[in-house]
Amino acid sequence: MRVHEKYSTLPAEDRRVHIINICAIEDIGYLPSEGTLLNSLSVDPDAECKYGLYFRDGKRKVDYILVYHHKRSSGSRTLARRVQHSDTVPAARSIKQDQPLPGKGTPVEAGGPEPPMDYHEDDKRFRREEYEGNLLEAGLELEHDEDTKIHGIGFVKIHAPWNVLCREAEFLKLKMPTKKMYHINETRGLLKKINSVLQKITDPIQPRVAEHRPQATKRLSYPFSREKQHLFDLSDKDSFFDSKTRSTIVYEILKRTTCTKAKYSMGEGEERKKDSALLNKRRKCGKYGITSLLANGVYSAAYPLHDGDYEGENTEFNDRKLLYEEWASYGVFYKYQPIDLVRKYFGEKIGLYFAWLGVYTQMLIPASIVGIIVFLYGCATVDENIPSMEMCDQRHNITMCPLCDKTCSYWKMSSACATARASHLFDNPATVFFSVFMALWAATFMEHWKRKQMRLNYRWDLTGFEEEEVIRPRLLPQDHPRAEYEARVLKKSLRKESKSKETDKVKLTWRDRFPAYFTSLVSIIFMIAVTFAIVLGVIIYRISTAAALAMNSSPSVRSNIRVTVTATAVIINLVVIILLDEVYGCIARWLTKIEVPKTEKSFEERLIFKAFLLKFVNSYTPIFYVAFFKGRFVGRPGDYVYIFHSFRMEECAPGGCLMELCIQLSIIMLGKQLIQNNLFEIGIPKMKKFFRYLKLKRRSPPDHEEYVKKKQRYEVDYTLEPFAGLTPEYMEMIIQFGFVTLFVASFPLAPLFALLNNIIEIRLDAKKFVTELRRPVAVRAKDIGIWYNILRGVGKLAVIINAFVISFTSDFIPRLVYLYMYSENGTMHGFVNHTLSSFNVSDFQNGTAPNDPLDLGYEVHICRYKDYREPPWSENKYDISKDFWAVLAARLAFVIVFQNLVMFMSDFVDWVIPDIPKDISQQIHKEKVLMVELFMREEQGKQQLLETWMEKDRKRDEPCNNHSAKAGLDSPTFHGGAL
């Protein structure tokens, strides 16, 4: 029996208990079976440790879990892993490997054949032992569990004791609440009454969460310091550091702790020498933190535990259950989010995402209301719209030129009556106002979010976070090198021929990354070209399908050619966009990986840039085509523009392309939200969870008694989906924000559909985080990072695009030009005729005239087409007319005026609304003053205490001095030379 006092982390009163090798006892027949031992216990040991939330002693909380694969004999199963304590993982340097460790693996039966050695697995085991030994030296406490329901999976439970938590909290400069409390300044007078009324009105939609209630007082926060522990309320040390903070601290230690050696080489002879050299290099430059160990398969997973179950009759109440009931349930869709509780459980970064999503959804309410009003205005005035009435009037008898060569015949403009009336719903004077409103709405939304973000920073004690981040890298690198970067640096150091250079100074330069950068550039250009090619393919489909349907003998089919072609083409675009989104996301991640960014932050920013660029192009290219290119390069009858010398370019309907743009935008937006954002988010995680369940079930032993017993918390969490970051969540919302703002002039109902989607999206994401995902490591952040800059960029781009949509896609400008320059009576009568040019059918090119020129029942000599050109009886027939240049000048002038006016108004809103609310700035200043007063009082107390001690010492010395003086007077005096 051997006891390792050096690495023992048991409490002092328990260290007298020796850890017995239960495997050895079982071998000599002392322990009959596992079932006998379990039945002999009066208390369920799993219940004592709350089914995995605590160590086996039921006192030490599990703060983090490491998971690894191991190989063991199926014939021998013991409880060794489940009853041993935290000293089961001694450091590899102090243990002889020929001595079986207490509970470490299964001993080989006497006389049995020795199993073949798996050097790869043995190397992983040795690295784990060394790494876990280093964790013990760092002060953490560990406990193993290999006797689980998941066959071949071992778990390492990690606990951070109080002294480690204090040390790391001081190291990380974590702000913790002090004993000092102060009253928050409340509004007075009329504002106080208004706030009280609003609180009563909104009380039914507030979550029943303590953290969400308005607080009249707040604790003063200060970076934790072991020297100033008296400032903090340490009456309950178990709850002083919550589970989120504890897991964050442990994760920092896991990243910082390294493993530099491997036990075995993987080959013989020369291979062994090479591996030996490799190991020597690793000792110098290869530092395997938890990220590297995960990447190399030494550990298969690492995660903090959820607080407990979220449903069930006998489930203990915990923050996860509260989040499930008040946040992740569809029945509370009408309530505010408990953002403070979300932050408490998941951390600031995830809390900020849901806070931003909530603010965005809240701001969509006024935009939706105005959009509905604009749409209803179009519905109310459709019968008063003179241009659509003229198009629908059968008496005008306007004969239009064929839409395609040969197979298409002449057609009456009145057949496009329905399209013209529908276009007015979205193409009316109110849409211009709505475009200006949405531009100001975007600016107001950004300012409102900045103010909300500042309030959250104050509530979450993040006001000084930026200054701390500037200082901390000198003490601790916040962004640890990624595992792939370290491996690449290791390879580069091994290739160096000069031994004089230190390998610690080796780093990747632009020359090392140039092939990856070149590959990324070429790949992105190629994928953008693929997107354009697909859009071109859909254009050819539309043209060919329209020509095919024109030959149909059914009048109803021929009358609905435009609607049929547009709808089917948009559905094809939607399917392609959804598929390419998934493909481009994978390619963007692969391209970012081959660039080998050094830190996770750099990796995330590069990934966001590539993914956003590709998905932006993929989602908006079909819409850009309809908005700005369709019908612009058609040519004219007798001189059409052809693609590949076979397919004639598409034309817009007589009412313009705005209606088609509306159809395109609405189907793509709604389809992406319904299929990609909702069905995929619900279906894919459930499918992955189901397949993982089947896989683990196949690997689990067929022991029914073991299978039916309740799983440990870490076993349940292991079956959940790993957290993959917030990039996909932000990405889908940014793309939606683009749909809401970029082309809102063509689809005023876009904010309404976005609002309905987001109401579901919030609860869907909440349910995914609470029930479907492993608990992510809490990350401190004071803003949403690069996404804010992307939002601002999309908002600025929206102003420009809406200006061009109103000016060039809609008929708003041509109507104004006609009304003020060409109308004889100041009305819109005659506008349709003004926008149509005439064509003599005798000028058709050979082979392009309709096959059935008498399809309308009469012979056609002059047909009309939409353009500003000279008539056939003019000297410069079919040339561009002066009206075209007048309209073009008006369009360009409108773009310039609209863009500058709206930009100025947006900047004015940005300037008028302060980024920091006045009350928050006052509270921050008050906190600083109180902190100074607190330390001044502390210093004064120390000074008074020091003066009191000095006064006591002086009084204590005075009697001694008096006694000495009196004794001197009574003693005999010796005069000179007495000796």
Side-chain angles (χ1 to χ4, degrees), residues 375 426 566-567 570-571 573-574 577-578 619-620 622-623 626 657-675 736 738-740 743-754 757:
F375 177 75
F426 307 100
T566 300
V570 172
I571 293 173
N573 275 327
L574 174 62
I577 286 172
I578 292 175
S619 299
Y620 296 117
I623 302 174
V626 175
C657 280
L658 196 69
M659 185 61 200
E660 187 173 344
L661 176 61
C662 174
I663 296 173
Q664 184 103 4
L665 182 65
S666 59
I667 293 180
I668 291 178
M669 178 182 177
L670 296 177
K672 275 179 65 67
Q673 291 183 164
L674 179 63
I675 299 174
Q736 185 204 82
F739 282 120
V740 169
F743 297 93
V744 74
S746 63
F747 189 40
L749 296 179
L752 174 64
F753 290 113
N757 173 80

Side-chain angles (χ1 to χ4, degrees), residues 60 107 122 139 149 180 360 375 415 472 546 771 835 919 954:
R60 292 172 291 172
D122 195 59
K149 293 176 63 177
K180 175 68 176 177
Y360 172 47
F375 177 75
S415 63
R472 191 188 303 170
T771 65
T835 60
D919 59 327
R954 193 181 301 114

Side-chain angles (χ1 to χ4, degrees), residues 316-458:
E316 291 188 7
F317 197 77
N318 54 70
D319 286 342
R320 188 187 187 194
K321 182 177 177 64
L322 184 60
L323 282 172
Y324 180 76
E325 294 175 352
E326 293 294 331
W327 182 51
S329 175
Y330 293 110
V332 294
F333 72 93
Y334 60 92
K335 289 187 176 183
Y336 285 99
Q337 299 182 86
I339 292 298
D340 292 322
L341 184 60
V342 174
R343 173 254 179 179
K344 177 185 175 184
Y345 193 79
F346 291 109
E348 286 79 6
K349 191 171 184 179
I350 294 176
L352 282 173
Y353 163 71
F354 282 103
W356 172 83
L357 184 57
V359 170
Y360 172 47
T361 304
Q362 188 178 0
M363 288 293 293
L364 283 172
I365 296 175
S368 302
I369 294 173
V370 176
I372 293 173
I373 293 174
V374 170
F375 177 75
L376 293 178
Y377 171 80
C379 295
T381 58
V382 66
D383 292 330
E384 302 173 4
N385 184 37
I386 296 175
S388 61
M389 292 171 60
E390 288 184 349
M391 291 180 63
C392 296
D393 193 351
Q394 298 283 351
R395 295 171 297 176
H396 282 76
N397 196 25
I398 299 177
T399 303
M400 303 297 294
C401 295
L403 298 175
C404 61
D405 293 341
K406 293 193 293 185
T407 56
C408 299
S409 184
Y410 305 106
W411 56 285
K412 291 293 188 79
M413 174 173 276
S414 57
S415 63
C417 175
T419 306
R421 289 174 63 86
S423 296
H424 180 73
L425 301 179
F426 307 100
D427 187 7
N428 56 69
T431 57
V432 180
F433 158 76
F434 190 56
S435 298
V436 176
F437 171 81
M438 287 303 295
L440 299 179
W441 172 87
T444 307
F445 162 60
M446 300 304 294
E447 291 303 310
H448 180 47
W449 165 244
K450 284 195 289 187
R451 291 169 64 85
K452 176 69 173 180
Q453 189 173 253
M454 201 62 210
R455 289 186 182 277
L456 294 177
N457 286 338
Y458 165 71

Side-chain angles (χ1 to χ4, degrees), residues 65-80:
I65 290 291
L66 300 180
V67 188
Y68 60 92
H69 293 275
H70 68 91
K71 294 183 179 180
R72 64 180 178 182
S73 173
S74 60
S76 176
R77 186 182 304 271
T78 73
L79 278 177

Side-chain angles (χ1 to χ4, degrees), residues 53 109 115 150 287 294 299 307 382 384 390 552 606 645-646 654 665 721 742 786 793 807 859 958:
L53 289 174
E109 295 181 3
I150 306 174
K287 296 181 179 179
L294 288 171
Y299 292 102
D307 281 356
V382 66
E384 302 173 4
E390 288 184 349
N552 196 292
R606 295 186 188 191
H645 304 286
S646 303
L665 182 65
E721 185 74 12
L742 292 180
I786 193 175
S807 180
E859 186 176 359
E958 283 180 359

Side-chain angles (χ1 to χ4, degrees), residues 25-38 40 77:
I25 296 177
E26 184 181 3
D27 290 339
I28 63 176
Y30 185 78
L31 290 178
S33 66
E34 179 180 343
T36 305
L37 179 63
L38 282 174
S40 65
R77 186 182 304 271

Side-chain angles (χ1 to χ4, degrees), residues 606-655:
R606 295 186 188 191
L607 175 61
I608 289 172
F609 172 75
K610 294 182 182 67
F612 177 74
L613 176 63
L614 293 174
K615 292 188 177 185
F616 184 90
V617 173
N618 181 44
S619 299
Y620 296 117
T621 299
I623 302 174
F624 268 94
Y625 163 73
V626 175
F628 303 120
F629 295 98
K630 184 177 179 181
R632 309 293 173 192
F633 312 101
V634 178
R636 59 171 180 81
D639 188 21
Y640 284 115
V641 177
Y642 292 88
I643 303 176
F644 305 129
H645 304 286
S646 303
F647 301 99
R648 205 177 90 186
M649 289 294 292
E650 294 181 284
E651 297 181 45
C652 289

